[in-house]
Amino acid sequence: MATDFILIHRTCKLVVLLCFLHISVTVFFYVRTLDIRFSFVQNQQSHSNLTRLRHGMVPASSSRTEPRETATRREEQRRLDEPGQNITERAVKQLEKCPETSPLLVGPLRVEFNMPVSLDQIKKDNPNVGPGGRFRPKDCLALQKVAVIIPFRKRDEHLKFWLYYLHPVLQRQQLDYGVYVINQDGDEIFNRAKLLNVGYMEALKEYDYDCFVFSDVDLIPMDDRNTYRCFSQPRHLSVSMDKFGFRLPYNQYFGGVSSMSREQYLKINGFPNNYWGWGGEDDDIYNRLASRGMSISRPSGEVGKCRMIRHNRDKQNEPNPQRFDRIAHTRETMRKDGINSLTYSVVQVEKMDLFTKITVDVGKP
């Protein structure tokens, strides 16, 4: 009987010991679990704060003192978001360069002049064109800044067709461009080349253009792959005009639509100022280019197709009887007749929805 009591006593002690051990182990793991949970919460809070700092956000419970790098980033972003911030600087910081060939081009275009067009409808169809006819791509940085210069007088219906067709084309070509209509004031004899010189000077007063497209108001390209930009050599863009049976009339022809970089333009002293009336200035420009060792580049005859809006010759734009004599002496006259001898006075500058119209007095013969 005594032996049974001792056995029961020892068994009870063993059970109590096991119970104590079990409780101890349970308490140990419970406390450890609390530590893990606390560390996890701390890590999540730290990660959240770091993420906010990277995005320029400061937690409500944090100190007002920001890390220097974060403050700098916030200041840069604030400057970029200011309305007066230079748009070109914003594009450089945020965008990659546009591709050499735009992926938006569609190729051959149907060009007709038998339907009425209005400036209001053109504006509605081109919502991304800004005041003064300015546009730049939103998703990439244009490779060139192009001023399109149109010599003009009393051709409003032709201008509507030009704007109707060209604004969509120029946007698909991903150009940073502006359209400048240089309107000759008064009723004196028309001077196309001098107006082009004026357009060059006036456009540079507004923006740092590096390419200049000189276009007659009545010529419309029939293929948007004929890019209105500059190349390593002066570019003749209106290669195949319907007026000439979609053929180049002669190899030296440089009329209609052409482009030059700023360097190319200055190398020939710009265009002549003394061609009053129709004809001759294009051949003079060709002679200037040739005398400076430059050659004419062109798109293919198919890509360079253009349509001309048919019209009667303008009054005060009769053929220039002196043109042949002047062309023969280009090499002697080009050093003193050009951008370095240009004189004119600005009568009015109008920032229209789709173009900038600059009315100028260019004098008389």
Side-chain angles (χ1 to χ4, degrees), residues 35 38 45 65 70 77 79 87 91 112 122 130 183 185 206 222-223 263 280 297 315 340 345 352 358 363-364:
D35 290 340
F38 181 73
Q45 290 178 342
T65 303
T70 302
Q77 188 61 45
R79 289 193 304 105
I87 298 177
E112 302 289 348
I122 300 170
N183 179 47
D185 191 39
E206 294 195 347
M222 300 176 67
D223 195 312
E263 293 75 16
S297 67
K315 295 180 180 180
N340 64 352
S345 59
M352 317 294 276
I358 304 177
K364 54 186 178 180

Short mmCIF file of all heavy atoms in Angstrom, two decimals, residues 35 38 45 65 70 77 79 87 91 112 122 130 183 185 206 222-223 263 280 297 315 340 345 352 358 363-364:
data_model
loop_
_atom_site.label_atom_id
_atom_site.label_comp_id
_atom_site.label_asym_id
_atom_site.label_seq_id
_atom_site.Cartn_x
_atom_site.Cartn_y
_atom_site.Cartn_z
N ASP A 35 6.39 39.87 -30.96
CA ASP A 35 7.56 40.60 -31.43
C ASP A 35 7.61 40.64 -32.95
O ASP A 35 7.92 41.67 -33.57
CB ASP A 35 8.85 39.94 -30.90
CG ASP A 35 9.00 40.14 -29.40
OD1 ASP A 35 8.36 41.07 -28.87
OD2 ASP A 35 9.76 39.38 -28.79
N PHE A 38 5.00 43.07 -34.26
CA PHE A 38 5.41 44.45 -34.03
C PHE A 38 6.47 44.88 -35.06
O PHE A 38 6.42 45.98 -35.61
CB PHE A 38 5.94 44.58 -32.60
CG PHE A 38 6.37 45.98 -32.27
CD1 PHE A 38 5.42 46.97 -32.06
CD2 PHE A 38 7.71 46.31 -32.17
CE1 PHE A 38 5.81 48.26 -31.76
CE2 PHE A 38 8.10 47.59 -31.88
CZ PHE A 38 7.14 48.57 -31.65
N GLN A 45 5.38 50.49 -41.96
CA GLN A 45 5.31 51.93 -41.80
C GLN A 45 6.54 52.61 -42.41
O GLN A 45 6.44 53.64 -43.07
CB GLN A 45 5.19 52.31 -40.32
CG GLN A 45 3.83 51.94 -39.73
CD GLN A 45 3.75 52.27 -38.25
OE1 GLN A 45 4.78 52.46 -37.61
NE2 GLN A 45 2.54 52.31 -37.72
N THR A 65 11.13 68.86 -41.69
CA THR A 65 12.43 68.84 -42.33
C THR A 65 12.50 67.69 -43.32
O THR A 65 12.30 66.55 -42.95
CB THR A 65 13.55 68.67 -41.27
OG1 THR A 65 13.44 69.73 -40.33
CG2 THR A 65 14.91 68.69 -41.95
N THR A 70 15.03 64.87 -51.60
CA THR A 70 13.58 64.95 -51.80
C THR A 70 13.15 66.38 -52.04
O THR A 70 12.33 66.67 -52.92
CB THR A 70 12.85 64.38 -50.57
OG1 THR A 70 13.27 63.04 -50.38
CG2 THR A 70 11.34 64.43 -50.79
N GLN A 77 10.15 69.63 -59.79
CA GLN A 77 8.82 69.33 -60.30
C GLN A 77 7.92 70.56 -60.25
O GLN A 77 7.12 70.81 -61.15
CB GLN A 77 8.20 68.19 -59.48
CG GLN A 77 6.88 67.67 -60.07
CD GLN A 77 7.07 67.12 -61.46
OE1 GLN A 77 7.99 66.38 -61.72
NE2 GLN A 77 6.16 67.49 -62.37
N ARG A 79 8.87 73.69 -60.50
CA ARG A 79 9.25 74.58 -61.59
C ARG A 79 8.74 74.08 -62.93
O ARG A 79 8.31 74.85 -63.77
CB ARG A 79 10.78 74.73 -61.65
CG ARG A 79 11.36 75.53 -60.51
CD ARG A 79 12.80 75.92 -60.78
NE ARG A 79 13.66 74.78 -61.05
CZ ARG A 79 14.10 74.46 -62.25
NH1 ARG A 79 13.77 75.18 -63.30
NH2 ARG A 79 14.89 73.42 -62.42
N ILE A 87 8.50 75.37 -72.35
CA ILE A 87 7.96 74.07 -72.74
C ILE A 87 9.04 73.17 -73.29
O ILE A 87 9.03 71.97 -73.10
CB ILE A 87 6.83 74.26 -73.77
CG1 ILE A 87 5.70 75.07 -73.13
CG2 ILE A 87 6.29 72.94 -74.26
CD1 ILE A 87 4.57 75.39 -74.08
N ALA A 91 10.01 69.30 -72.17
CA ALA A 91 10.06 68.19 -73.10
C ALA A 91 11.39 67.46 -73.00
O ALA A 91 11.43 66.22 -73.03
CB ALA A 91 9.85 68.68 -74.53
N GLU A 112 -8.53 67.25 -102.87
CA GLU A 112 -9.56 67.83 -103.72
C GLU A 112 -9.86 69.26 -103.27
O GLU A 112 -9.69 69.60 -102.10
CB GLU A 112 -10.86 67.01 -103.66
CG GLU A 112 -10.69 65.54 -104.05
CD GLU A 112 -10.46 65.35 -105.55
OE1 GLU A 112 -10.65 66.33 -106.30
OE2 GLU A 112 -10.07 64.25 -105.96
N ILE A 122 -11.73 73.75 -89.48
CA ILE A 122 -10.33 73.33 -89.43
C ILE A 122 -9.82 73.36 -87.99
O ILE A 122 -9.11 72.45 -87.54
CB ILE A 122 -9.47 74.24 -90.32
CG1 ILE A 122 -9.94 74.16 -91.77
CG2 ILE A 122 -8.00 73.83 -90.24
CD1 ILE A 122 -9.30 75.20 -92.68
N GLY A 130 -2.05 75.12 -81.44
CA GLY A 130 -2.20 76.25 -80.53
C GLY A 130 -2.28 77.57 -81.26
O GLY A 130 -2.15 77.64 -82.50
N ASN A 183 2.09 88.65 -95.04
CA ASN A 183 1.15 89.35 -95.90
C ASN A 183 1.73 90.69 -96.36
O ASN A 183 2.07 91.55 -95.53
CB ASN A 183 -0.15 89.58 -95.13
CG ASN A 183 -1.18 90.34 -95.92
OD1 ASN A 183 -1.43 90.01 -97.08
ND2 ASN A 183 -1.81 91.34 -95.31
N ASP A 185 1.58 94.26 -97.49
CA ASP A 185 0.62 95.34 -97.35
C ASP A 185 0.57 96.20 -98.62
O ASP A 185 1.56 96.31 -99.35
CB ASP A 185 1.01 96.22 -96.16
CG ASP A 185 -0.08 97.21 -95.78
OD1 ASP A 185 -1.26 96.84 -95.84
OD2 ASP A 185 0.26 98.36 -95.44
N GLU A 206 10.29 84.84 -82.39
CA GLU A 206 9.34 84.14 -81.52
C GLU A 206 9.87 82.83 -80.97
O GLU A 206 9.48 82.42 -79.88
CB GLU A 206 8.05 83.85 -82.30
CG GLU A 206 7.28 85.08 -82.69
CD GLU A 206 5.87 84.76 -83.12
OE1 GLU A 206 5.56 83.57 -83.35
OE2 GLU A 206 5.06 85.69 -83.21
N MET A 222 0.67 65.59 -101.82
CA MET A 222 -0.25 64.46 -102.00
C MET A 222 0.24 63.20 -101.30
O MET A 222 -0.30 62.12 -101.51
CB MET A 222 -0.44 64.19 -103.49
CG MET A 222 -1.02 65.36 -104.26
SD MET A 222 -1.15 65.06 -106.05
CE MET A 222 -2.40 63.77 -106.06
N ASP A 223 1.27 63.35 -100.46
CA ASP A 223 1.82 62.20 -99.73
C ASP A 223 2.47 62.73 -98.46
O ASP A 223 3.36 63.59 -98.53
CB ASP A 223 2.84 61.46 -100.59
CG ASP A 223 3.19 60.07 -100.06
OD1 ASP A 223 3.45 59.96 -98.84
OD2 ASP A 223 3.20 59.11 -100.85
N GLU A 263 21.70 77.33 -91.12
CA GLU A 263 23.06 77.44 -91.62
C GLU A 263 23.08 77.54 -93.15
O GLU A 263 23.83 78.33 -93.73
CB GLU A 263 23.88 76.25 -91.17
CG GLU A 263 24.13 76.18 -89.66
CD GLU A 263 22.90 75.74 -88.87
OE1 GLU A 263 21.96 75.18 -89.51
OE2 GLU A 263 22.86 75.95 -87.65
N GLY A 280 11.80 84.31 -111.56
CA GLY A 280 13.22 84.60 -111.49
C GLY A 280 13.87 84.33 -110.15
O GLY A 280 15.03 83.90 -110.08
N SER A 297 18.58 68.37 -102.76
CA SER A 297 18.05 67.03 -102.47
C SER A 297 16.55 67.05 -102.71
O SER A 297 15.89 68.08 -102.56
CB SER A 297 18.36 66.63 -101.02
OG SER A 297 17.66 67.45 -100.11
N LYS A 315 -3.19 90.26 -109.66
CA LYS A 315 -2.86 91.60 -110.11
C LYS A 315 -1.61 92.08 -109.38
O LYS A 315 -1.35 91.70 -108.24
CB LYS A 315 -4.02 92.56 -109.84
CG LYS A 315 -5.28 92.25 -110.64
CD LYS A 315 -6.39 93.24 -110.32
CE LYS A 315 -7.65 92.93 -111.13
NZ LYS A 315 -8.75 93.88 -110.83
N ASN A 340 21.24 90.45 -95.42
CA ASN A 340 22.04 91.54 -94.85
C ASN A 340 21.63 92.92 -95.36
O ASN A 340 22.09 93.94 -94.85
CB ASN A 340 23.53 91.31 -95.11
CG ASN A 340 23.88 91.32 -96.60
OD1 ASN A 340 22.99 91.36 -97.46
ND2 ASN A 340 25.17 91.27 -96.91
N SER A 345 9.02 97.16 -92.74
CA SER A 345 8.40 97.59 -91.49
C SER A 345 7.16 96.74 -91.24
O SER A 345 6.39 96.45 -92.16
CB SER A 345 8.02 99.07 -91.55
OG SER A 345 7.11 99.33 -92.61
N MET A 352 -3.63 84.26 -84.98
CA MET A 352 -4.87 83.59 -85.29
C MET A 352 -4.85 82.18 -84.67
O MET A 352 -3.83 81.72 -84.17
CB MET A 352 -5.06 83.51 -86.80
CG MET A 352 -4.71 84.79 -87.55
SD MET A 352 -5.81 86.16 -87.18
CE MET A 352 -7.16 85.81 -88.31
N ILE A 358 1.47 88.08 -90.33
CA ILE A 358 2.32 89.25 -90.15
C ILE A 358 2.21 90.11 -91.40
O ILE A 358 2.67 89.73 -92.47
CB ILE A 358 3.77 88.85 -89.89
CG1 ILE A 358 3.86 87.90 -88.68
CG2 ILE A 358 4.64 90.08 -89.67
CD1 ILE A 358 5.25 87.39 -88.40
N GLY A 363 8.05 98.05 -99.14
CA GLY A 363 8.48 99.11 -100.02
C GLY A 363 8.00 98.89 -101.44
O GLY A 363 7.02 98.18 -101.70
N LYS A 364 8.72 99.45 -102.38
CA LYS A 364 8.34 99.34 -103.80
C LYS A 364 9.62 99.37 -104.64
O LYS A 364 10.69 99.77 -104.16
CB LYS A 364 7.40 100.45 -104.19
CG LYS A 364 7.90 101.86 -103.89
CD LYS A 364 6.82 102.88 -104.17
CE LYS A 364 7.29 104.29 -103.82
NZ LYS A 364 6.23 105.30 -104.10
#
